[in-house]
């Protein structure tokens, strides 16, 4: 079967890691036609908008995109393209599988967990105002609809991937209404998935347990801000941002991307680690129903780390992006 996929190379190291990923995907033999679209700083200069309508239309048409990181100016300039895409495409679930890779040093072994983050509301709703000079207010929005669909997503994912447990992460002891509603929605959904165990954990206790016993966690479902913070923490458990894949998924389309940013400090030097985007592409293949190719890509990456000394600078090596990519293609 052939697939048409929107390709958003992005800023900074984005074009380098997307090139590497395309090369690996080409080696799988899966028939992919790429539809490249510019978003980010270059698009802002060329089209006057960092996320032109045509980018969104392309993803809507193809229902799937592979995306490099896109920089967001702090405190000025254009709105985050990532947030724009998530809103426009209603990509309500952020999926971050976090798993040890043998050969990458980390403090823990046996980590194999999945963070499911609600992507559309919570404290990220952008509803902020100054009440009076010197006092700012930021609104946390929690709706029954969004909480129920993210809970559905988490339990469906657990069932489809033979995961045993879903832990709901919350702070309903303090935010009794907002987090209380989120928790109640997850509880309701959980009743329809009797084969999946449900546990409840308060976010601060969860952070502590994650850095003591990460191997005890399976699927975790949580709101936007907790998910933002804890998924970064979890990336740190297995070797950092360079090796953790991700996806933003809605009912109509999905965008696959690494967790890391555009790394302006190393952009254009040919030293970026493409592992995270290659593993995101493996998730994408799985989503496309190309399960065998997906498994082959993941095991090729694992083989390179397990059996070779090819490492990019972020992991203490001196291999280039191209050398690492070649090693993965050879392993395939
Ligand atoms: P960053 O993830 O770009 O970089 C943090 C550190 O990690 C840097 O030292 C960088 O060199 C290193 N690093 C990141 N990815 C790497 C890779 N693949 N290989 C080797 N080293 C890597 O985070 P930072 O500096 O906070 O953000 C830079 C820009 O990226 C910002 O404008 C931010 O808004 C944007 N960003 C975009 C994301 C996206 O498009 N999904 C996600 C996170 C940040």
């Amino acid at each position: 079967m052939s697939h048409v996929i929107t390709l958003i190379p992005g800023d900074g190291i984005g074009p380098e890691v997307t090139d590497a990923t395309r090369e690996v995907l080409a080696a799988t033999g899966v028939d992919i036609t790429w539809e490249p679209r510019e978003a980010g700083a270059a698009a802002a200069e060329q089209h006057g908008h960092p996320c032109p309508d045509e980018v969104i239309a392309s993803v809507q048409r193809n229902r799937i995109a592979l995306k490099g990181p896109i920089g967001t100016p702090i405190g000025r300039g254009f709105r985050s393209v990532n947030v724009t895409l998530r809103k426009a495409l209603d990509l309500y679930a952020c999926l971050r599988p976090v798993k040890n890779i043998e050969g990458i040093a980390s403090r823990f072994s046996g980590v194999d967990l999945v963070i499911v983050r609600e992507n559309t509301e919570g404290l990220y709703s952008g509803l902020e105002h100054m009440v009076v000079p010197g006092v700012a207010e930021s609104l946390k929005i929690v709706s029954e609809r969004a909480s129920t669909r993210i809970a559905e997503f988490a339990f469906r994912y657990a069932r489809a991937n033979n995961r045993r447990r879903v832990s709901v992460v919350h702070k309903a002891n303090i935010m009794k209404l907002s987090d209380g509603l989120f928790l109640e929605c997850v509880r309701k959904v959980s009743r329809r998935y009797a084969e999946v165990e449900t546990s409840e954990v308060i976010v601060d206790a969860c952070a502590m347990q994650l850095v003591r016993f990460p191997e005890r966690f399976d699927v975790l479902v949580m709101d936007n801000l907790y998910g933002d913070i804890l998924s970064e923490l979890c990336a740190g458990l297995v070797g950092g941002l360079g090796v953790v894949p991700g996806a933003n998924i809605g009912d109509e389309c999905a965008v696959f991307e690494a967790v890391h940013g555009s790394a302006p400090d190393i952009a254009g030097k040919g030293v970026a680690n493409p592992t995270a985007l290659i593993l995101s592409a493996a998730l994408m293949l799985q989503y496309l129903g190309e399960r065998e190719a997906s498994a082959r890509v993941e095991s090729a990456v694992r083989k390179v780390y397990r059996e070779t000394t090819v490492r990019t600078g972020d992991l203490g090596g001196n291999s280039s992006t191209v050398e690492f990519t070649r090693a993965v293609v050879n392993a395939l």
Side-chain angles (χ1 to χ4, degrees):
M1 189 181 168
S2 74
H3 308 280
V4 183
I5 299 174
T6 303
L7 179 77
I8 306 171
D11 299 323
I13 60 170
E16 297 162 62
V17 293
T18 45
D19 279 354
T21 304
R22 279 171 71 163
E23 205 174 316
V24 171
L25 290 180
T28 64
V30 174
D31 184 1
I32 295 175
T33 304
W34 296 103
E35 199 171 278
R37 290 291 179 268
E38 278 297 341
E45 248 173 53
Q46 252 180 36
H47 309 284
H49 197 290
C51 189
D53 289 346
E54 177 38 31
V55 176
I56 291 165
S58 168
V59 186
Q60 280 169 332
R61 196 164 52 240
N62 300 325
R63 302 169 76 102
I64 193 138
L66 183 72
K67 175 184 160 293
I70 294 177
T72 308
I74 296 175
R76 60 173 176 84
F78 56 77
R79 184 185 184 202
S80 160
V81 172
N82 302 311
V83 174
T84 305
L85 278 174
R86 280 169 214 163
K87 287 221 156 148
L89 300 166
D90 200 17
L91 304 173
Y92 63 84
C94 176
L95 185 71
R96 301 241 171 113
V98 178
K99 202 168 163 185
N100 283 114
I101 297 179
E102 199 185 331
I104 296 182
S106 69
R107 288 172 194 270
F108 300 97
S109 60
V111 181
D112 183 7
L113 56 86
V114 180
I115 292 196
V116 175
R117 164 185 171 189
E118 204 290 321
N119 239 350
T120 63
E121 53 181 34
L123 271 171
Y124 277 63
S125 307
L127 297 173
E128 284 193 313
H129 61 269
M130 299 303 292
V131 182
V132 289
V135 183
E137 186 173 58
S138 186
L139 299 180
K140 172 164 174 160
I141 306 296
V142 176
S143 70
E144 187 177 355
R145 174 178 173 265
S147 306
T148 301
R149 72 177 178 175
I150 197 67
E152 278 285 356
F153 182 95
F155 281 93
R156 239 186 2 249
Y157 178 90
R159 177 184 274 168
N161 292 279
N162 298 318
R163 296 272 176 175
R164 276 181 309 110
R165 190 169 64 248
V166 172
S167 305
V168 49
V169 181
H170 66 90
K171 189 80 183 176
N173 50 333
I174 303 297
M175 282 167 275
K176 294 181 193 296
L177 291 183
S178 53
D179 280 25
L181 176 60
F182 185 83
L183 180 58
E184 198 43 52
C185 292
V186 179
R187 281 179 183 158
K188 263 192 202 153
V189 170
S190 73
R191 290 181 203 124
R192 281 188 278 109
Y193 292 83
E195 76 279 25
V196 182
E197 187 192 319
T198 309
S199 70
E200 299 176 6
V201 55
I202 293 176
V203 61
D204 42 332
C206 181
M208 192 266 289
Q209 288 174 27
L210 277 168
V211 296
R212 294 194 72 203
F213 317 110
E215 69 285 352
R216 293 187 187 170
F217 287 90
D218 200 340
V219 177
L220 298 99
V221 63
M222 62 196 77
D223 89 347
N224 215 334
L225 181 65
Y226 307 151
D228 191 15
I229 297 168
L230 292 187
S231 46
E232 204 105 336
L233 179 150
C234 288
L237 297 175
V238 297
L241 291 175
V243 298
V244 178
N248 290 300
I249 302 176
D251 290 333
E252 302 299 327
C253 21
V255 175
F256 292 81
E257 64 179 325
V259 175
H260 61 74
S262 57
D265 50 334
I266 55 165
K269 296 185 179 158
V271 297
N273 185 351
T275 301
L277 195 65
I278 294 172
L279 291 176
S280 305
L283 285 180
M284 182 180 80
L285 289 173
Q286 199 180 13
Y287 182 89
L288 288 169
E290 302 281 0
R291 286 188 172 261
E292 197 219 326
S294 166
R296 283 176 57 222
V297 170
E298 188 181 333
S299 39
V301 170
R302 288 181 175 276
K303 190 170 175 179
V304 170
Y305 282 111
R306 197 176 55 240
E307 296 177 12
T308 78
T309 54
V310 180
R311 301 282 186 278
T312 45
D314 57 316
L315 297 177
N318 52 18
S319 306
S320 67
T321 309
V322 168
E323 284 161 346
F324 182 85
T325 308
R326 246 180 242 143
V328 175
V329 169
N330 287 341
L332 259 174

